[in-house]
Amino acid sequence: MTALPPTTDRKLGLVIDLDTCVGCHACVVACKGWNTENYGAPLSDQDAYGGAPSGTFLNRVHSYEVRPTTGTAKLVHFPKSCLHCDDAPCVTVCPTGASYKRSADGIVLVNEDACIGCGLCAWACPYGAREMDADAGVMKKCTLCVDRIYNENLPEVDREPACVRTCPAGARHFGDFADPDSNVSRLTEERGGFDLMPELGTKPVNKYLPPRERDRSEDIDILAPYLEPVTEDANGFLGWLERTLSKLPGGR
Amino acid sequence: MHPARSVIIFTTLSGLGFGLLVWLGLGMPSPKGLVAFVFFTIAYLLAAGGLVASTFHLGHPERALRAFTQWRTSWLSREAVISVATLLVMAAYGAGLVFWDTRIVWLGWLGAALSLATVLATSMIYAQLKTVPRWNHWTTPALFLALSVAGGALLAGQLRFALPLLAVAGGVQVVAWMTGDKRFRGRGTSVATATGLGGMGDIRAFEPPHTGTNYLMREMVHVIGRKHASRLRMLSLLLGYGLPIALMMLPFNHWLALLAVIAHITGVFASRWLFFAEAEHVVGLYYGRK
């Protein structure tokens, strides 16, 4: 049924730390690898080795340049996958009941056997979290690696989403937001975790942590003063050349 | 948004077909025998033909029956349910007219109301999407309903209704375009809220996640169709509304009426193309465009 559960017992989701993400795309590769071989239809590629490659991904990393009013520009790497929204618009628009949000843990899933591939859920999602697989003709999305996190055949350390398990920078964290003492709740609290496009009322479960202020110290580089240019004025031959060139038409 | 041919054909033709069913249901005209058969055949070819065309864009059309189950929450499912109910009710009503020369008035009224509800459900599939500010507004159902009823009146030969209704539809069309152009900005969704980094400074999409394209960009960040937008708008206004109104003011002639219908349908196709091509989805913000 595509009605959303009024509440969920647990709220499983991710915290993504924009301060520590180095933009290596390891999460993208780990996600593609795990989810191609496991839950549901594989994530297909089209023209993978040709001139116009394209494929299905459940997690993608954008990079943004942020230019503050003072100081240098910053590069922020921005991984984006399904946010498992509490008020998920993708679920309620589904005409077949293929899309659903689990009342036990809040994970938003697609029953691929019931999906007619109409694409309306992808239109309803503001975050671009759902992609129609061109080969299978069904909608694919992040499952929060539902086939890892409860999988007792895996060592306990591996029972977290593939993207979190693989992240070499520790920029991704998995946990239960319904528990105020969980790692993800505490991180969100301490670091000021925020929602993406909160004005659209989707109430995302996943939170993003803002980049920290860069360290700034005035006296860290004691040699810098000695590297200042000695003079701005040219004299001698260069001075003559500068004056002569300035006199030519178009000179300053 | 990507202007998928099947969806443009579907919404245009089925809108007209259900519009014609509205007038037939109201008994304007109230044909009998063979004439009724022709009228209902045209209406069903348009309405049902459009519905069939809409299944062409599905990944799994063989599972389309499942789309009748989620009417409690989904406008797309409601559209499926109501449209089939309409076609069944109007088939019974039409059979009465064609085979028994009998007009069951209440059945006709019920069919007319269901026809309007079908068009409303179709329009709400688009109007409900907060992710596409241009559509997320009362002008979307207003335009779909006005076009359906006006075009239906034109097909039904109800010229004294078709003329003012077309003028109203043209007015709604202009309001939809003018207000729609400003709505994305007005909603306040920007790359700053999309990334949550707005407090830090100006944000520019520096590097996309991949070198090629993807489903999201093909489907929702489709900007090519907007190239001739202002010319298409003029064309749509002239053909879809202006020319049919002018032709209807001339002394009645079947050929002129046919010309008015063809001009109207062409104009509505242009309008519906723009409806999709000009619609900006918020996910485009992540890719540095609208």
Side-chain angles (χ1 to χ4, degrees):
Chain A
M1 182 54 68
T2 50
L4 289 164
T7 54
T8 59
D9 302 339
R10 296 201 292 160
K11 284 168 71 162
L12 296 186
L14 303 176
V15 161
I16 293 169
D17 190 343
L18 298 178
D19 190 65
T20 21
C21 175
V22 294
C24 69
H25 291 244
C27 53
V28 177
V29 178
C31 168
K32 179 102 171 178
W34 178 265
N35 287 293
T36 285
E37 293 166 2
N38 294 282
Y39 183 97
L43 302 172
S44 72
D45 291 313
Q46 283 69 46
D47 196 21
Y49 302 99
S54 174
T56 312
F57 287 80
L58 311 183
N59 177 36
R60 294 180 185 267
V61 180
H62 297 251
S63 296
Y64 297 98
E65 180 198 59
V66 185
R67 285 174 299 172
T69 41
T70 57
T72 53
K74 293 185 177 71
L75 197 60
V76 179
H77 302 293
F78 195 93
K80 185 162 58 60
S81 54
C82 175
L83 309 177
H84 298 280
C85 303
D86 270 342
D87 206 345
C90 56
V91 170
T92 49
V93 299
C94 177
T96 68
S99 279
Y100 58 104
K101 184 173 173 73
R102 309 210 305 183
S103 58
D105 52 18
I107 300 181
V108 177
L109 286 177
V110 175
N111 171 7
E112 292 176 11
D113 294 334
C115 174
I116 56 172
C118 68
L120 189 57
C121 55
W123 287 13
C125 172
Y127 309 109
R130 289 172 167 247
E131 299 191 16
M132 178 109 71
D133 189 84
D135 193 39
V138 294
M139 198 53 74
K140 300 294 297 184
K141 70 175 293 301
C142 162
T143 66
L144 217 58
C145 283
V146 70
D147 47 358
R148 287 176 67 96
I149 59 178
Y150 298 116
N151 192 339
E152 290 182 1
N153 295 317
L154 294 177
E156 189 144 1
V157 68
D158 285 331
R159 287 180 214 160
E160 57 181 14
C163 57
V164 177
R165 183 76 183 96
T166 205
C167 180
R172 305 178 71 101
H173 307 268
F174 166 68
D176 178 12
F177 287 89
D179 171 7
D181 280 331
S182 68
N183 60 336
V184 287
S185 296
R186 285 202 314 267
L187 267 172
T188 306
E189 177 71 28
E190 285 163 20
R191 296 274 308 282
F194 59 83
D195 292 344
L196 305 186
M197 295 197 217
E199 71 277 12
L200 292 181
T202 52
K203 300 189 197 125
V205 168
N206 285 13
K207 300 284 184 251
Y208 282 74
L209 305 182
R212 293 181 177 98
E213 276 289 310
R214 291 289 171 265
D215 289 342
R216 219 170 283 168
S217 175
E218 297 305 327
D219 50 24
I220 196 159
D221 190 353
I222 52 168
L223 289 177
Y226 299 105
L227 294 173
E228 290 289 321
V230 180
T231 173
E232 301 281 336
D233 304 318
N235 50 27
F237 173 69
L238 281 179
W240 170 81
L241 193 63
E242 208 265 333
R243 283 193 301 279
T244 312
L245 286 174
S246 300
K247 280 178 199 154
L248 288 176
R252 285 182 288 120
Chain B
M1 306 292 288
H2 172 62
R5 216 171 309 159
S6 60
V7 177
I8 292 174
I9 293 173
F10 152 61
T11 57
T12 308
L13 295 188
S14 77
L16 265 179
F18 285 109
L20 177 54
L21 287 178
V22 170
W23 293 96
L24 288 172
L26 296 178
M28 295 188 284
S30 184
K32 297 213 160 86
L34 191 62
V35 183
F37 181 74
V38 172
F39 262 112
F40 276 89
T41 306
I42 293 173
Y44 271 74
L45 280 179
L46 290 171
L51 285 178
V52 171
S54 74
T55 62
F56 291 157
H57 83 288
L58 297 180
H60 282 278
E62 76 280 6
R63 299 175 186 161
L65 277 182
R66 288 180 181 272
F68 291 89
T69 58
Q70 303 301 312
W71 48 270
R72 285 187 203 81
T73 54
S74 164
W75 279 106
L76 182 51
S77 185
R78 284 172 201 161
E79 183 204 35
V81 172
I82 302 171
S83 64
V84 169
T86 308
L87 293 177
L88 289 177
V89 166
M90 286 305 280
Y93 172 74
L97 289 172
V98 173
F99 300 114
W100 293 286
D101 279 3
T102 318
R103 180 167 174 246
I104 309 163
V105 177
W106 67 267
L107 201 60
W109 280 78
L110 176 66
L114 282 171
S115 301
L116 282 177
T118 305
V119 178
L120 177 71
T122 305
S123 67
M124 286 308 293
I125 294 170
Y126 306 103
Q128 69 178 332
L129 297 174
K130 285 185 189 167
T131 49
V132 185
R134 190 183 281 275
W135 292 347
N136 188 223
H137 195 244
W138 63 263
T139 46
T140 300
L143 183 61
F144 273 61
L145 284 169
L147 275 176
S148 169
V149 177
L154 192 61
L155 280 181
Q158 302 298 306
L159 297 194
R160 68 202 161 97
F161 292 106
L163 207 144
L165 283 171
L166 261 186
V168 170
V172 176
Q173 174 77 82
V174 172
V175 173
W177 279 333
M178 308 239 317
T179 60
D181 286 346
K182 296 180 208 133
R183 201 165 302 123
F184 197 108
R185 187 177 290 268
R187 290 286 167 89
T189 298
S190 64
V191 69
T193 65
T195 60
L197 301 172
M200 291 174 58
D202 280 340
I203 302 157
R204 184 169 70 100
F206 184 76
E207 207 174 22
H210 40 80
T211 51
T213 182
N214 66 25
Y215 168 77
L216 301 168
M217 300 188 73
R218 285 191 297 271
E219 186 75 6
M220 282 167 278
V221 200
H222 189 95
V223 294
I224 303 163
R226 297 176 200 162
K227 200 173 150 197
H228 300 293
S230 55
R231 258 167 291 178
L232 276 173
R233 281 185 179 185
M234 285 314 294
L235 208 68
S236 168
L237 273 186
L238 280 176
L239 288 177
Y241 309 92
L243 189 60
I245 289 177
L247 288 173
M248 275 188 279
M249 290 194 194
L250 297 173
F252 181 78
N253 171 316
H254 271 107
W255 291 107
L256 287 184
L258 181 67
L259 190 62
V261 168
I262 292 172
H264 175 70
I265 295 179
T266 315
V268 178
F269 270 127
S271 158
R272 214 39 65 79
W273 164 273
L274 287 171
F275 179 75
F276 290 97
E278 288 195 291
E280 308 96 339
H281 194 287
V282 293
V283 78
L285 295 168
Y286 288 108
Y287 290 88
R289 57 213 312 188
K290 284 202 302 197

